[in-house]
């Protein structure tokens, strides 16, 4: 995989790629406000489906596109389209749901492009892949914490229309920085590539035991976490008997744990990438299990949230690094598509499953999620190392 780059622009491009996640958070939150304010009650779930389903459908094609084309140029084009679509729905609210569906496709493509560009950037900058992914996770954690706050402030201050226009401008800034850097990730293409079917393109990855073990086991972890996510608000309000202040404080503690985990990720992971990926999955499961078995006060839940957030952050860094290391650069777009589609599907299933436990039985949801999470970590590690059949 040939990489071209203008000297001195490395850190700026890496920062632009990571800071753009804050813009994504602002966009998603603003669209939620827009749907709630200007449409019937069913518009919010319709919007959530529109933000998820189209991206799932096109994920295999997006991954192949990134591996066959110049990922940096594709990111420039997609960023331009994202800015245009967001500006359009800012001016024409009637097209919010249709615009969200289009953005779902664009976010899938840009996510695969970013995944493929991070290893190239780490090599150009002379930094380890773990450090580059840890930097990405650090800013992503800040985005998860600051993005909704910034989005809420912007909507309340200037309205959803101007908030969306501001976010559209941020995508323009991203494309300018990537274009000006002359970053190029040119794939090594052969004549056989053009005639290959989609399944033939993905068959080597689907036959990679370690990649599929990682994807399968850690998608189960996402499913388990999603069950607990649904029960979270009811755990606070029904089980613990607290209100919005406690809910906000616990959310902040999780985000704070993620920031700590991102800061420590490189030191903890080192060369033990597999252990870190599956071990932190088991730790997240253990924190959910602790909450479910002992929901007796905010202190235990707060400690579990800090530990769980830290493990979550280290887990994200380790998983990205593991998948990027296990596959050749020519397959990075496709492996990003496989993992992204699998985890999104798992999250959707987890949200549905979590609904069976609420509002009155939130602790049971945490027990079920915790057992699944611990099992995902242990079973995934054994399959990853070939001790059990990946089938």
């Amino acid at each position: 995989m040939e990489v071209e780059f203008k000297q001195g622009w490395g850190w700026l491009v890496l920062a632009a790629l990571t800071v753009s996640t804050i813009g994504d958070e602002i966009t998603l939150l603003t669209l939620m406000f827009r749907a709630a304010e200007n449409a019937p009650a069913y518009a919010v779930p319709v919007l959530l489906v529109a933000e998820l389903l189209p991206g799932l459908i096109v994920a295999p094609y997006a991954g192949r596109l990134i591996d066959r084309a110049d990922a940096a140029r594709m990111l420039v084009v997609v960023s331009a389209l994202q800015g245009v679509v967001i500006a359009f729905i800012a001016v024409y609210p009637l097209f919010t749901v249709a615009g969200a569906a289009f953005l779902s496709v664009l976010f899938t493509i840009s996510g695969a492009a970013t995944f493929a560009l991070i290893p190239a950037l780490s090599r150009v900058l002379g930094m380890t892949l773990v450090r580059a992914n840890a930097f990405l996770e650090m800013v992503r954690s800040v985005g998860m914490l600051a993005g909704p706050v910034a989005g809420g402030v912007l909507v309340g201050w200037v309205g959803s229309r101007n908030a969306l226009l501001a976010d559209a401008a941020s995508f323009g800034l991203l494309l300018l920085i990537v274009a000006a850097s002359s970053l190029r990730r040119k794939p090594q293409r052969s004549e056989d590539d053009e005639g290959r079917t989609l399944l033939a393109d993905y068959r080597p990855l689907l036959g990679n035991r370690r990649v599929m073990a990682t994807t399968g086991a850690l998608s189960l972890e996402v499913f388990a976490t999603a069950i607990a996510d649904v029960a979270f608000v009811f755990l606070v309000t029904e089980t613990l008997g607290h209100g919005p202040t406690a809910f906000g404080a616990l959310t902040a503690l999780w985000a704070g744990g993620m920031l700590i985990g991102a800061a420590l990720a490189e030191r903890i992971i080192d060369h033990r990438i597999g252990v870190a990926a599956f071990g932190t999955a088991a730790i997240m499961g253990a924190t959910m299990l602790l909450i479910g078995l002992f929901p007796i006060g905010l202190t235990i839940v707060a400690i579990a949230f800090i530990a769980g957030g830290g493990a979550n952050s280290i887990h994200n860094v380790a998983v990205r690094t593991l998948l990027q290391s296990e596959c050749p650069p020519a397959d990075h777009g496709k492996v990003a598509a496989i993992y992204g589609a699998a985890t999104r599907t798992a999250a959707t299933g987890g949200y549905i499953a979590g609904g069976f436990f609420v509002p009155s039985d939130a602790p049971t949801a945490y027990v079920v999620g915790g057992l699944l999470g611990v099992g995902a970590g242990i079973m995934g590690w054994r399959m990853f190392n070939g001790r059990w059949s990946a089938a």
Side-chain angles (χ1 to χ4, degrees):
M1 193 68 62
E2 184 182 348
V3 178
E4 297 178 5
F5 204 69
K6 188 181 292 184
Q7 190 69 26
W9 282 75
W11 282 105
L12 186 59
V13 172
L14 186 59
L17 289 174
T18 52
V19 171
S20 68
T21 60
I22 299 178
D24 297 347
E25 294 286 342
I26 293 174
T27 296
L28 296 177
L29 183 126
T30 307
L31 291 178
M32 289 283 288
F33 275 107
R34 168 70 66 79
E37 289 173 355
N38 301 321
Y42 60 79
V44 172
V46 169
L47 177 69
L48 292 174
V49 172
E51 290 175 345
L52 179 69
L53 188 58
L56 282 175
I57 294 172
V58 304
Y61 301 94
R64 181 166 69 170
L65 175 65
I66 293 303
D67 285 335
R68 288 189 174 186
D70 182 341
R73 286 184 174 175
M74 287 305 305
L75 184 61
V76 169
V77 172
V78 169
S79 296
L81 290 173
Q82 286 171 320
V84 170
V85 173
I86 293 171
F88 182 81
I89 60 179
V91 178
Y92 300 101
L94 181 64
F95 297 96
T96 295
V97 173
F102 194 14
L103 286 173
S104 174
V105 174
L106 296 176
F107 283 142
T108 298
I109 298 173
S110 63
T114 301
F115 184 92
L117 286 171
I118 291 297
L121 281 171
S122 69
R123 290 193 299 272
V124 170
L125 293 170
M127 63 195 304
T128 65
L129 186 54
V130 175
R131 177 174 295 181
N133 279 315
F135 181 83
L136 173 66
E137 188 64 23
M138 175 72 77
V139 181
R140 179 174 174 270
S141 300
V142 173
M144 291 178 64
L145 184 61
V149 175
V153 170
L154 278 173
V155 171
W157 184 28
V158 299
S160 60
R161 179 178 183 271
N162 290 328
L164 287 170
L165 289 174
D167 192 38
S170 73
F171 284 100
L173 179 63
L174 172 63
L175 76 88
L176 287 175
I177 291 175
V178 175
S181 71
S182 298
L183 175 62
R184 297 288 181 270
R185 177 185 175 270
K186 298 180 179 179
Q188 302 298 320
R189 301 174 62 181
S190 66
E191 294 181 0
D192 295 337
D193 289 343
E194 296 299 330
R196 292 173 65 181
T197 64
L198 188 66
L199 179 60
D201 251 0
Y202 277 87
R203 188 174 288 118
L205 284 175
L206 296 175
N208 186 320
R209 173 181 54 79
R210 289 163 72 91
V211 169
M212 297 314 296
T214 302
T215 302
L218 300 182
S219 294
L220 178 60
E221 175 67 30
V222 172
F223 176 82
T225 305
I227 293 175
D229 286 344
V230 173
F232 174 38
V233 64
F234 299 101
L235 177 79
V236 175
T237 58
E238 299 289 333
T239 306
L240 299 177
H242 289 274
T245 301
F247 182 88
L250 289 173
T251 302
L253 286 176
W254 183 276
M258 289 193 70
L259 283 171
I260 295 170
L264 298 176
E266 184 181 14
R267 186 182 306 173
I268 292 174
I269 294 172
D270 195 23
H271 298 295
R272 302 178 297 274
I273 303 173
V275 173
F278 294 101
T280 49
I283 291 173
M284 282 191 287
T287 61
M288 289 187 282
L289 197 56
L290 174 66
I291 293 171
L293 292 175
F294 303 102
I296 56 177
L298 281 177
T299 302
I300 288 180
V301 178
I303 293 172
F305 264 53
I306 295 172
N312 190 186
S313 199
I314 297 168
H315 174 77
N316 292 339
V317 175
V319 170
R320 279 197 300 270
T321 306
L322 182 64
L323 292 174
Q324 290 162 341
S325 302
E326 286 292 326
C327 302
D331 289 332
H332 281 174
K334 291 188 286 291
V335 76
I338 290 174
Y339 188 72
T343 51
R344 287 183 189 180
T345 303
T348 304
Y351 293 148
I352 295 171
F356 291 103
F357 299 97
V358 296
S360 58
D361 204 10
T364 302
Y366 273 83
V367 170
V368 171
L371 290 173
L372 289 174
V374 172
I378 296 173
M379 291 187 296
W381 174 243
R382 294 185 68 88
M383 288 190 297
F384 181 78
N385 285 285
R387 295 174 187 172
W388 292 339
S389 169

